[in-house]
Amino acid sequence: MNQDEMKQAVAQAALKYVEKDTIIGVGTGSTANFFIDALSALKGEIKGAVASSVATQKRLEGYGIKVFDLNQVDEISVYIDGADEADGGLNLIKGGGGALTREKIVAAVAEKFVCIADESKLVEVMGAFALPVEVIPMAVNYVKRQIENDIGGRAILRDFTTDNGNKILDIQGLKITDAKAVESQINSIVGVVTNGLFANRGADILLLGGSDGVKIIKP
Ligand code: 5RP
């Protein structure tokens, strides 16, 4: 099985967590895209979805799945999304696609967060994947200095603008052993919108696709 086939397998397995007649949250990225493709078969069974990015909204609507603005809904039964890295405690790094802030908001509202990923994403210690931080544009240089002085690593400006009109700094060279503390510390820097650590609200379930099938990992 290649990586895309593993992503497809976990995307298919995630359908089991979709509850009938509810609104679900849908993430962003190639694994989430496979999930949307699979979800199209169930589109008559859900009320609709909240999207974590403009790209996801377009893909959902392309299948005729109703997309709600988050302010129109009170409850999201489950949020299904990929990750760039996950550790055994189901802390995640997300934001490789730059959608981290909306992803974090939808995950916060959802009753359950099911993360779907191929086995290459599971690591002992997170940080080999550069940690994305969404930053208000005027604060980029200030936030970069604060991160490099107080957190460590190198904060590199990505040539990218988020759906919210902000910039992304990718922090290279971290070894994240206390993900909750690092998430909170970075978020306390003025000018940071949020960072891609999902630890204070990590995943509830990780579906991990490997060559021998889909494993279910719970913390
Ligand atoms: C986007 C994300 C994605 O979930 C993450 O980048 C994983 O992407 P892929 O499924 O393409 O490997 O956080 O902001």
Side-chain angles (χ1 to χ4, degrees), residues 124-145:
E124 286 276 317
V125 177
M126 295 192 295
F129 189 93
L131 175 63
V133 181
E134 181 162 353
V135 181
I136 300 290
M138 71 176 287
V140 162
N141 285 348
Y142 169 72
V143 171
K144 175 179 165 63
R145 287 195 298 275

Side-chain angles (χ1 to χ4, degrees), residues 92-208:
L92 311 172
I93 287 182
K94 294 185 43 53
L100 60 158
T101 300
R102 294 189 187 197
E103 292 173 342
K104 202 175 267 195
I105 294 168
V106 183
V109 176
E111 244 161 77
K112 194 185 288 174
F113 178 4
V114 177
C115 181
I116 51 177
D118 68 87
E119 63 187 0
S120 70
K121 307 290 181 71
L122 186 64
V123 297
E124 286 276 317
V125 177
M126 295 192 295
F129 189 93
L131 175 63
V133 181
E134 181 162 353
V135 181
I136 300 290
M138 71 176 287
V140 162
N141 285 348
Y142 169 72
V143 171
K144 175 179 165 63
R145 287 195 298 275
Q146 294 298 111
I147 288 172
E148 291 180 350
N149 291 337
D150 295 351
I151 314 276
R154 285 199 63 210
I156 309 295
L157 181 62
R158 198 189 294 186
D159 184 15
F160 178 79
T161 299
T162 70
D163 286 348
N164 312 308
N166 297 319
K167 304 308 289 180
I168 301 269
L169 288 168
D170 290 303
I171 316 178
Q172 299 176 344
L174 294 181
K175 284 206 169 94
I176 300 166
T177 50
D178 187 347
K180 283 186 177 149
V182 175
E183 180 181 3
S184 300
Q185 201 185 351
I186 296 173
N187 282 350
S188 73
I189 300 171
V190 173
V192 168
V193 180
T194 198
N195 70 83
L197 275 170
F198 285 53
N200 291 296
R201 201 283 182 253
D204 298 305
I205 295 169
L206 172 62
L207 300 181
L208 203 65

Side-chain angles (χ1 to χ4, degrees), residues 7 28-32 81-84 94-100 103 121:
K7 289 179 180 187
T28 299
S30 57
T31 318
D81 195 3
D84 299 301
K94 294 185 43 53
L100 60 158
E103 292 173 342
K121 307 290 181 71

